[in-house]
């Protein structure tokens, strides 16, 4: 199986439709970064280990995928997974994969806490097959200001 959609239906129900064309609105995105990925991996690993699962490590390729999607949703001003399977194929991500998105939180810890308290996002955090993550933030001059993306993979 190339890609597993762990929470696609929940995500689609919660999100609007922001496609890759949202990147045409680049002037809205002020900055993006993956510099918080190590902190995210540390927090997610501690949570997973406390539940009997393996820790995760930061993967540069997944960071690239997460940063891309953080910029897309920031430019659109709304959360959407868009064509998740197509994006995974485009970036060469094979195997089990899942994505969490968030907007408005000010910190890595706050973002991950939101995901822990959301059933669909929590399923992704605790995906047994996950061993690697990518994590990114994009800042935008719009409604939510800060957009977060997490990609988990095998």
């Amino acid at each position: 199986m190339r890609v597993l959609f762990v929470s696609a239906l929940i995500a689609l129900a919660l999100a609007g439709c922001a496609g890759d064309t949202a990147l045409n609105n680049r002037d809205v995105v002020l900055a993006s970064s993956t510099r918080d990925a190590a902190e995210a991996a540390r927090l997610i690993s501690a949570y997973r280990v406390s539940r009997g699962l393996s820790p995760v490590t930061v993967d540069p390729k997944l960071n690239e995928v997460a940063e891309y999607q953080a910029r897309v949703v920031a430019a659109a001003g709304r959360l959407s997974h868009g064509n998740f399977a197509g994006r995974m194929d485009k970036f060469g991500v094979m195997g089990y994969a899942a994505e969490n998105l968030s907007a408005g939180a000010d910190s890595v810890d706050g973002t991950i806490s939101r995901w822990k308290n959301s059933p669909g996002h929590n399923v992704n955090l605790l995906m047994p097959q996950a061993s690697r993550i990518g994590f990114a933030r994009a800042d935008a001059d719009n409604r939510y200001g800060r957009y977060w993306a997490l990609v988990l993979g095998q």
Side-chain angles (χ1 to χ4, degrees):
M1 177 184 282
R2 288 186 52 88
V3 177
L4 176 66
F5 299 101
V6 176
S7 66
L9 293 177
I10 293 170
L12 290 174
L14 297 174
C17 295
D20 291 352
T21 56
L23 282 179
N24 293 334
N25 197 6
R26 293 173 194 260
D27 58 324
V28 172
V29 179
L30 304 173
S32 63
S33 172
T34 60
R35 71 175 165 256
D36 296 320
E39 181 182 357
R42 182 183 60 76
L43 293 168
I44 293 166
S45 291
Y47 181 56
R48 289 173 56 82
V49 168
S50 77
R51 302 295 192 279
L53 297 167
S54 62
V56 293
T57 60
V58 177
D59 179 87
K61 173 67 75 184
L62 294 181
N63 266 353
E64 186 180 345
V65 178
E67 186 170 21
Y68 177 87
Q69 191 61 11
R71 291 184 65 82
V72 166
V73 296
R78 64 182 184 272
L79 300 177
S80 173
H81 296 281
N83 183 356
F84 180 72
R87 190 166 359 101
M88 295 302 103
D89 285 342
K90 174 181 174 179
F91 283 93
V93 176
M94 308 291 281
Y96 288 90
E99 178 176 77
N100 285 356
L101 302 173
S102 185
D106 290 331
S107 68
V108 175
D109 185 47
T111 299
I112 293 171
S113 291
R114 285 182 179 186
W115 289 333
K116 287 179 185 177
N117 291 314
S118 166
H121 294 104
N122 193 55
V123 165
N124 290 347
L125 291 175
L126 299 176
M127 183 174 74
Q129 300 85 351
S131 62
R132 304 174 296 128
I133 68 155
F135 185 81
R137 180 190 91 224
D139 297 327
D141 185 18
N142 60 23
R143 180 178 176 187
Y144 294 107
R146 187 161 282 174
Y147 296 79
W148 305 87
L150 168 70
V151 178
L152 302 106
Q154 265 180 305

